[in-house]
Amino acid sequence: MTGLLARGAGGAALSLALAGCASLDAPQEGVGESPWAQASGGGWQHHAFPSKAPTRYRYVREQGRDAVSATSRSSASALRRREDLAAQDLGRLQFSWRVPALIAQADMGQREDDDAVVRVVLAFDGDRSRFSPRDAMLSELSRALTGEELPYATLMYVWCNRRPAGTVIANPRTDRVRKLVVESGAANLGRWLEYERDVRADFERVFGEAPGRLRAVAIMTDTDNTRSEASAWYGPVRWVAPAVTPAPLSVIPAKAGT
């Protein structure tokens, strides 16, 4: 079963890493205690994938912004923050990135070319009795190696070379990982792009059900499948508190004669 871990970080291996099945490195080049990490809520750690060269993440100031620079050379690894949020507490997620060039060979719908210049990744709990036999096997492997099960569902926000924004891409390795395209094509290369996503609404659209508890958030730049090079910058990743619905007003009947 361990061979499953080496078949591309874009799917099963990434989900296992988010669940804890990866080697833990010291925070890379000042990321852990940086202003970027503090603005992103702290607790960010670098996670490497088995049998994969790691992507290089480092804290930088990029065009006057606190950022994490990601440099990938035939590599794949992630920066991850553990979470424990109920679905009703998800709120909206703010993130930003700047991409100088796309990965020409990448195609996130194809198993052999499933790389991405930028990803923001969220891992959720849920009803694992609905897993396929393959996913159930991966979950048992994760439990044996880490004490944690495979995430029930993994939602990724990605920049795709060709598919239009709004497209949902099913991962070619496991149906429990799905990608939502939020940027497409080369028109906005070289610019800082800002996003604010309603995570609950996005999950319901992508998976067709309500989300469970959120267990992890990660950023990731990977080029291991295409054996290419890519770079990007990520701004802070942070939550905007969910809107509070005002309590209904109590109507007190007027007393007779008032």
Side-chain angles (χ1 to χ4, degrees), residues 10 44 81 88 95 109 175 204 213-214 218 233 246:
W44 290 81
R81 169 188 162 92
Q88 63 269 23
F95 59 94
D175 188 56
E204 290 176 352
R213 295 189 76 85
L214 179 73
W233 293 267

Side-chain angles (χ1 to χ4, degrees), residues 24-136:
L24 173 62
D25 297 337
Q28 290 195 23
E29 300 189 46
V31 172
E33 301 301 324
S34 68
W36 179 94
Q38 294 171 13
S40 301
W44 290 81
Q45 297 176 312
H46 178 240
H47 281 251
F49 299 99
S51 304
K52 298 289 183 181
T55 295
R56 181 189 182 196
Y57 297 98
R58 60 193 179 96
Y59 167 70
V60 296
R61 290 282 294 173
E62 175 64 19
Q63 296 185 346
R65 298 179 180 227
D66 292 314
V68 164
S69 167
T71 303
S72 179
R73 295 184 175 92
S74 301
S75 64
S77 64
L79 285 180
R80 187 194 74 169
R81 169 188 162 92
R82 290 186 181 274
E83 301 276 4
D84 186 15
L85 290 176
Q88 63 269 23
D89 297 326
L90 286 175
R92 301 176 69 87
L93 188 67
Q94 290 181 337
F95 59 94
S96 59
W97 54 41
R98 188 167 84 85
V99 172
L102 298 174
I103 305 168
Q105 311 97 301
D107 184 344
M108 284 177 280
Q110 299 297 321
R111 179 173 182 146
E112 297 79 12
D113 302 317
D114 184 15
D115 286 336
V117 67
V118 280
R119 308 179 193 247
V120 174
V121 187
L122 299 96
F124 295 84
D125 268 345
D127 181 6
R128 290 176 178 79
S129 69
R130 300 173 62 183
F131 275 174
S132 69
R134 175 185 172 83
D135 292 331

